[in-house]
Amino acid sequence: MNRHRHQQAFFVSSAVVASRLRTVMQIAKEISLAAKNAKAIAERAGEKANSFKPITDFIDEMGRETIQLVEEINDQALSVSRSAVEEFRCSDASARFVRATELLGDNERTKVLSEKAEAIRKDAQRQQKEVHQQAMQLLDLLQQIGSCMRASGVISTRSRVEAVTAEEYQESLQVVAETIEKASERIKGIIRDCENTIHHSM
Amino acid sequence: MKETILFDEGYQWIMFGRDPDKPEGIIDTNQFMIKDGNRNVLLDPGGIEIFSSMLACVTRYADPSEISDIFASHQDPDIISSLGLWDRAVPHAKLHAPWLWEGFIRHFGCENIQYCGISDEGGEIELNHTRLQFIPAHYLHASGNYHVYDPEAKILMSGDVGAALEPEGAPMFVEDFDQHVQKMILFHQRWMPSNRAKNDWIRRVRKLNIEIMAPQHGRLFKGDDVKRFLDWFEALEVGTGIKNTARSYA
């Protein structure tokens, strides 16, 4: 019974992760937009923001990478959810075949039902392994976003430093740095929640 | 689950029902099996919750590998929501069910069993000792609906027609028709939507030679009670839910 509750939690939790990633996607798009802004400001600033220009490429790349990772994670989360549903159905079927075998009792055909129950149990076990494997891949992808966001911390610090030399453009570039910092913090928070959700279901 | 042999002359009709293991709150159902050598047919095998009891009962009469056919009168969960489990138990079997409901019934899980859609006009399948007829019963109550008639055993499996809402442990056969009527009125008036469909069905069924009429809920009708039922049903106005709604919102 506990096993069933655990499995049910899993196919729900992976679907929950998929839904939370919509927000991450939105924030990643905000990062990309911030990168475009930063590029435009750096262009206008000319030589005054020379050292800032390469950073804008990093920010842009980080935004695109995050969007791509979110898409991958979304597919993976839905795939885990589907496999977990199948595992639940398999385990449920296995329990019902075992019950049928018990109800049949001592009968010449008990062996036939037992064999079927055993085959389904093995199916359920195989399915369970697959779910676990897929969940580990999901966690790995979530960690990749986490690493990406840690790098963004470095980028935003660097942005602040470089913005100082941009004279009248300093304020605008500071705003870009802040936007990126806040966006990465929000993503890190959501990713942590997602990781916890998956861990609790495993 | 209680087992009752309805016919036993060269082949058997067996009824399973009154399941004490059934969880509370789900309607009691009658399931049927026709055991005819290597051809064994399950009629309206029931919902997921009674699957284990049903499989155990059926296996007492035949090896699962000998279940050749399943019939589903319509798409309701108490009729066939166990399909995904039968799909594992008897993957080689054929499912005879309304063509109209194929896309819906497949939601219960049907990866191995072959879905054989019954056309609107009805159909037949030949067993070793008899040829079962799928009698159209559209709109009684589902829009694509069939009953099974066995001309050898003279049994009509009548799906929801003749059904009654009974307390647990009710006898298998109607003993006093007049008393039984009270248990059928609501079911027929509210679940059956069309007087025209009802009368069309009665006209066709009166031509059949029926010894036992076996609904999917409640008691079975035997002998003269079959004719009594047809007369009572003919006089009953059905589809009363519309009137009730009209009164509530008038």
Side-chain angles (χ1 to χ4, degrees):
Chain A
M1 203 60 199
N2 281 336
R3 217 172 104 63
H4 272 207
R5 271 204 294 273
H6 145 78
Q7 286 161 341
Q8 191 168 27
F10 213 137
F11 62 69
V12 173
S13 64
S14 46
V16 166
V17 165
S19 74
R20 282 186 190 157
L21 290 171
R22 281 170 185 271
T23 316
V24 174
M25 179 67 97
Q26 193 57 43
I27 303 170
K29 283 177 182 169
E30 283 169 22
I31 292 176
S32 281
L33 192 65
K36 282 184 183 68
N37 270 342
K39 265 189 181 177
I41 296 165
E43 282 300 317
R44 278 204 305 277
E47 284 187 7
K48 291 173 192 167
N50 259 354
S51 53
F52 197 88
K53 278 178 193 164
I55 298 175
T56 60
D57 291 332
F58 278 121
I59 302 169
D60 196 27
E61 198 181 322
M62 189 184 73
R64 276 188 281 118
E65 200 181 326
T66 308
I67 289 171
Q68 197 188 328
L69 272 172
V70 168
E71 281 168 357
E72 275 181 52
I73 294 174
N74 195 46
D75 287 349
Q76 185 68 20
L78 289 177
S79 172
V80 174
S81 186
R82 271 195 293 271
S83 297
V85 168
E86 190 48 38
E87 184 202 354
F88 178 76
R89 287 175 63 173
C90 244
S91 300
D92 181 64
S94 171
R96 290 182 193 279
F97 272 77
V98 167
R99 177 70 184 136
T101 311
E102 287 165 4
L103 287 170
L104 184 60
D106 192 15
N107 184 290
E108 56 181 330
R109 297 196 187 96
T110 305
K111 193 168 172 270
V112 179
L113 280 199
S114 298
E115 282 168 1
K116 278 193 180 287
E118 180 58 15
I120 294 168
R121 192 187 64 79
K122 281 184 178 160
D123 269 358
Q125 248 177 1
R126 199 171 41 243
Q127 200 71 36
Q128 197 182 6
K129 273 186 194 156
E130 199 177 315
V131 171
H132 188 78
Q133 226 167 21
Q134 288 181 341
M136 293 307 285
Q137 285 166 2
L138 178 61
L139 281 171
D140 190 45
L141 287 169
L142 287 168
Q143 273 167 9
Q144 282 184 44
I145 288 203
S147 309
C148 219
M149 292 305 111
R150 274 192 292 282
S152 81
V154 178
I155 290 173
S156 63
T157 310
R158 177 92 192 277
S159 300
R160 281 179 203 283
V161 173
E162 299 299 341
V164 173
T165 61
E167 297 176 10
E168 71 266 34
Y169 297 98
Q170 181 180 347
E171 201 179 326
S172 307
L173 291 176
Q174 291 284 13
V175 170
V176 170
E178 262 174 46
T179 306
I180 292 160
E181 195 174 7
K182 280 182 185 163
S184 336
E185 283 306 315
R186 282 170 67 201
I187 290 180
K188 274 196 264 184
I190 296 170
I191 295 300
R192 258 197 311 274
D193 279 353
C194 289
E195 285 173 338
N196 286 340
T197 306
I198 297 294
H199 277 302
H200 282 147
S201 304
M202 286 180 87
Chain B
M1 195 177 272
K2 204 168 171 183
E3 303 168 18
T4 309
I5 306 277
L6 300 178
F7 178 83
D8 192 2
E9 291 176 30
Y11 67 105
Q12 290 176 309
W13 268 75
I14 307 131
M15 175 190 161
F16 306 107
R18 315 294 189 263
D19 181 12
D21 276 354
K22 173 179 75 64
E24 269 182 46
I26 63 170
I27 191 167
D28 191 45
T29 49
N30 301 329
Q31 291 68 232
F32 302 92
M33 175 179 182
I34 301 166
K35 178 173 166 51
D36 190 2
N38 63 347
R39 295 296 301 278
N40 294 283
V41 188
L42 305 181
L43 307 179
D44 285 356
I48 291 170
E49 294 296 346
I50 62 156
F51 171 79
S52 301
S53 302
M54 257 303 278
L55 179 60
C57 285
V58 165
T59 307
R60 283 190 192 107
Y61 290 89
D63 190 286
S65 65
E66 294 169 339
I67 306 296
S68 55
D69 302 82
I70 296 176
F71 164 82
S73 59
H74 59 291
Q75 83 296 353
D76 274 355
D78 62 324
I79 300 286
I80 191 67
S81 67
S82 58
L83 180 61
L85 294 161
W86 289 109
D87 195 58
R88 290 175 187 274
V90 292
H92 53 277
K94 289 180 176 174
L95 172 68
H96 306 272
W99 72 269
L100 190 68
W101 292 115
E102 178 170 354
F104 297 73
I105 286 176
R106 281 185 180 276
H107 273 278
F108 292 129
C110 186
E111 286 174 17
N112 302 302
I113 286 176
Q114 185 190 343
Y115 193 109
C116 305
I118 308 171
S119 69
D120 279 345
E121 297 75 27
E124 289 184 342
I125 54 164
E126 183 145 20
L127 305 184
N128 294 316
H129 288 85
T130 188
R131 183 184 281 264
L132 297 178
Q133 299 173 11
F134 301 137
I135 308 286
H138 306 314
Y139 302 104
L140 294 175
H141 65 92
S143 45
N145 209 126
Y146 301 88
H147 297 159
V148 176
Y149 178 61
D150 179 348
E152 295 299 322
K154 300 184 180 66
I155 296 175
L156 176 71
M157 198 287 273
S158 59
D160 282 318
V161 175
L165 299 172
E166 299 252 26
E168 281 193 19
M172 287 296 178
F173 285 94
V174 171
E175 287 155 0
D176 182 329
F177 185 83
D178 292 334
Q179 272 192 359
H180 190 64
V181 161
Q182 288 309 314
K183 295 169 186 146
M184 298 193 291
I185 292 177
L186 172 73
F187 194 96
H188 289 80
Q189 286 195 318
R190 195 64 184 80
W191 262 274
M192 306 294 163
S194 163
N195 287 302
R196 190 175 148 208
K198 177 199 71 170
N199 292 333
D200 178 64
W201 178 85
I202 291 170
R203 192 169 55 249
R204 276 178 294 115
V205 168
R206 280 197 194 281
K207 292 175 191 162
L208 305 175
N209 185 1
I210 302 169
E211 283 289 335
I212 292 175
M213 191 179 107
Q216 197 235 344
H217 306 283
R219 304 182 204 197
L220 281 59
F221 302 82
K222 209 178 196 175
D224 290 342
D225 279 339
V226 176
K227 187 183 175 303
R228 282 190 193 102
F229 173 80
L230 294 176
D231 292 344
W232 170 81
F233 194 33
E234 194 163 36
L236 186 76
E237 189 187 357
V238 299
T240 57
I242 296 168
K243 281 182 187 169
N244 293 340
T245 309
R247 265 202 298 276
S248 309
Y249 293 92

